[in-house]
Amino acid sequence: MKYSGIGGQAVIEGVMMKNRDEYATAVRKPDGTIEVKKDTYISMGEKVKLFSLPFFRGIFSFADSMILGMRSLTFSASFFEDDEEDLEPSKFEKLLERVFGEKMEKALMSMVMVFSVIMAICIFMVLPLFLANIFRHFIKSQTIMAILEGVIRIGIFIAYIKLVSRMEDIRRTFMYHGAEHKCINCLEHGLELNVENVRNSSKEHKRCGTSFLLIVMIISILFFMVIQVKTLPLRILSRIILIPVIAGVSYELLRIAGRSDSKLVDILSRPGMWMQGLTTSEPDDSMIEVGIASVEAVFDWREFLKKNFTENQS
């Protein structure tokens, strides 16, 4: 396997792929055609040198992913809003338009991102602490309590994924997620980027965000085993304050895993790959075509194969 440097994510009926400062979002429109939008995004690490250093880059790479993800999701969703265009704007929408004017879309996007982060912290960091705290009268060991909290956190995550996967749109998004992984795996294993080769490639990838989330949960167990505070308010505060630290460490581990082919790293990456079974599904050929269109808009895969897999080229 050769590291390609490209990454991406699934969106509504499509795939976004990023290569350096360029990214492209390909969407299968309701009429069956593929629409591709190519743009540039300068990461925070490129704007501020400090943000590109080890540990710091993990924190700001996560922020970059959220911003880029929201942009791509907004673009993909625009093709499926026809039924809503004739509806009268709500009072809240009218208020936002008066306050923000032409910047309403960006303001709304920022509000959604902030709300999403707050909800994620409450559900996946604070709630497990409260649930684990129920057993504090019976369990005196702080180490066992930290492990219990981590197990509850993983359980909530799995339950959440299982719940949202019951929605048809989410199931299809998971299929596009599989198409994204398959396209990258196809290239990084030296195969031509075509439907047949992509179809036969793995839908799991070591650099996946799902693996990152699992690493975060495992690292959080280790942190909270060591960092122990007595009162519940301080424990809540510690969970929130340590999120950037845990994210930074987790990113570095995922970065190592994504660039290594060693047996040890493969073994350590296995739980994250298993977890991807929840968030990726086998795509159909039409979804694979969308993934390929997204890759080809930002990445010269033929040149990549020529440089790294010369022996495989005819």
Side-chain angles (χ1 to χ4, degrees):
M1 188 186 81
K2 296 289 185 180
Y3 175 69
S4 64
I6 59 173
Q9 71 171 61
V11 295
I12 299 171
E13 292 298 324
V15 174
M16 182 276 287
M17 289 287 187
K18 184 176 186 295
N19 178 37
R20 297 186 178 88
D21 294 337
E22 294 184 329
Y23 72 97
T25 307
V27 179
R28 179 74 69 178
K29 295 163 61 179
D31 63 5
T33 60
I34 299 175
E35 180 82 15
V36 181
K37 179 185 178 183
K38 182 179 176 181
D39 208 337
T40 58
Y41 177 78
I42 307 300
S43 68
M44 296 183 188
E46 291 181 82
K47 293 177 181 177
V48 181
K49 185 64 177 176
L50 175 66
F51 297 167
S52 66
L53 297 178
F55 172 73
F56 291 101
R57 62 190 173 194
I59 302 169
F60 293 99
S61 176
F62 178 71
D64 286 332
S65 296
M66 285 196 66
I67 294 169
L68 199 53
M70 285 300 298
R71 288 185 183 180
S72 300
L73 278 170
T74 301
F75 170 72
S76 64
S78 67
F79 297 103
F80 305 93
E81 296 175 346
D82 293 340
D83 295 337
E84 301 177 6
E85 289 181 353
D86 298 329
L87 297 177
E88 181 71 19
S90 66
K91 291 181 180 180
F92 181 65
E93 289 174 322
K94 290 178 179 179
L95 175 63
L96 288 178
E97 192 168 357
R98 284 200 302 269
V99 174
F100 297 106
E102 294 180 355
K103 296 182 179 180
M104 185 185 76
E105 187 173 314
K106 288 185 178 180
L108 190 59
M109 188 185 303
S110 299
M111 291 168 62
V112 170
M113 286 177 57
V114 171
F115 178 76
S116 299
V117 170
I118 292 173
M119 288 302 297
I121 292 173
C122 291
I123 294 172
F124 298 112
M125 297 303 290
V126 179
L127 179 60
L129 173 62
F130 275 106
L131 294 177
N133 199 60
I134 297 173
F135 300 91
R136 189 165 292 276
H137 298 294
F138 314 102
I139 302 173
K140 301 303 179 183
S141 171
Q142 293 294 330
T143 299
I144 295 177
M145 285 298 298
I147 294 173
L148 176 61
E149 182 186 337
V151 170
I152 292 174
R153 183 172 290 114
I154 294 172
I156 290 175
F157 176 72
I158 293 174
Y160 171 78
I161 295 298
K162 286 287 188 181
L163 183 63
V164 299
S165 65
R166 296 168 66 90
M167 301 166 60
E168 176 62 24
D169 288 343
I170 298 298
R171 282 200 296 268
R172 290 187 61 80
T173 301
F174 286 171
M175 293 171 74
Y176 277 105
H177 191 192
E180 176 227 326
H181 284 187
K182 281 173 169 283
C183 286
I184 297 175
N185 275 321
C186 176
L187 293 177
E188 295 187 338
H189 286 84
L191 302 174
E192 271 193 37
L193 192 65
N194 56 50
V195 172
E196 182 178 358
N197 287 339
V198 172
R199 189 193 309 122
N200 293 327
S201 298
S202 173
K203 67 180 180 66
E204 284 84 32
H205 197 283
K206 288 187 287 187
R207 296 198 306 272
C208 176
T210 306
S211 293
F212 172 75
L213 292 175
L214 180 62
I215 294 173
V216 165
M217 295 177 200
I218 294 173
I219 294 297
S220 69
I221 294 175
L222 300 178
F223 267 79
F224 300 142
M225 284 172 62
V226 176
I227 300 172
Q228 301 177 2
V229 290
K230 294 183 178 181
T231 66
L232 183 60
L234 284 177
R235 285 197 292 272
I236 295 173
L237 185 62
S238 69
R239 272 40 174 186
I240 297 172
I241 291 176
L242 288 173
I243 287 174
V245 181
I246 294 170
V249 173
S250 300
Y251 177 84
E252 295 303 322
L253 292 176
L254 186 70
R255 183 183 173 89
I256 293 170
R259 295 166 180 257
S260 174
D261 245 350
S262 74
K263 292 294 182 183
L264 176 61
V265 170
D266 283 343
I267 292 171
L268 294 176
S269 300
R270 197 49 44 189
M273 305 285 269
W274 291 334
M275 189 71 80
Q276 289 176 42
L278 298 172
T279 61
T280 60
S281 299
E282 288 294 336
D284 59 34
D285 287 356
S286 68
M287 295 174 174
I288 290 173
E289 290 170 357
V290 173
I292 291 174
S294 182
V295 172
E296 291 186 326
V298 294
F299 188 74
D300 187 349
W301 60 267
R302 292 176 179 84
E303 182 65 22
F304 173 77
L305 295 185
K306 183 178 179 181
K307 286 182 177 180
N308 295 280
F309 300 94
T310 306
E311 67 277 9
N312 293 338
Q313 306 303 305
S314 57

